[in-house]
């Protein structure tokens, strides 16, 4: 299984965002440096609801360091929905889903086709 690498500090921040927005979803874009996810970008004017998150990707700046997405699921299911898979196929890259209860163990990573990736947390 392929691996995606993320800084512990960023993952902690993403878990905190998921808790803060609960019971709504939140979503963002992941910036990568030297093969490691290190920052999150929240798109302007997002809508974070109980069953979906929406943002206008046209509002994003041109940024070649954006290599993935992240969003939360307010329930315990960490698997991508059909809507998630449709988005994954359009955006590309790596996609993190953080499921309730928003712990390191409830984070899953997927490729654009929905296949799983291993998550490696770096200090």
């Amino acid at each position: 299984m392929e691996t995606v690498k993320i800084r512990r500090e960023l993952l902690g921040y993403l878990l905190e965002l998921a808790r803060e927005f609960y019971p709504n979803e939140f979503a963002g874009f992941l910036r990568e440096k030297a093969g490691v996810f290190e920052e999150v970008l929240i798109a302007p004017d997002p809508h974070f609801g109980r069953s979906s998150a929406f943002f206008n990707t046209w509002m994003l700046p041109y940024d070649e360091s954006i290599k993935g997405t992240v969003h939360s699921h307010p329930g315990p299911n960490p698997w991508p929905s059909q809507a998630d898979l449709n988005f994954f196929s359009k955006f590309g890259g790596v996609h993190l889903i953080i499921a309730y209860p928003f712990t390191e163990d409830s984070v899953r990573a997927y490729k654009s086709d929905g296949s799983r990736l291993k998550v490696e947390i770096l200090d």
Side-chain angles (χ1 to χ4, degrees), residues 2-73:
E2 293 179 55
T3 302
V4 60
K5 297 177 183 180
I6 186 169
R7 294 274 176 222
R8 184 173 304 281
E9 182 179 3
L10 173 58
L11 183 57
Y13 180 62
L14 296 174
L15 294 171
E16 184 63 31
L17 285 173
R19 290 182 200 114
E20 284 181 22
F21 281 98
Y22 180 81
N24 294 331
E25 291 190 10
F26 93 94
F29 294 89
L30 297 171
R31 287 185 168 140
E32 180 185 76
K33 287 185 183 176
V36 179
F37 287 113
E38 296 193 356
E39 296 178 346
V40 64
L41 173 68
I42 306 297
D45 196 27
H47 167 75
F48 299 147
R50 290 183 186 261
S51 62
S52 66
F54 173 80
F55 37 80
N56 187 344
T57 56
W58 291 101
M59 300 290 288
L60 288 174
Y62 177 74
D63 187 339
E64 289 186 8
S65 69
I66 295 174
K67 302 292 184 189
T69 68
V70 59
H71 75 279
S72 63
H73 281 183

Side-chain angles (χ1 to χ4, degrees), residues 28-30 55 57 60 66-69 86-95 112:
F29 294 89
L30 297 171
F55 37 80
T57 56
L60 288 174
I66 295 174
K67 302 292 184 189
T69 68
N86 289 339
F87 178 72
F88 292 177
S89 71
K90 290 179 177 79
F91 191 78
V94 172
H95 308 277
S112 295

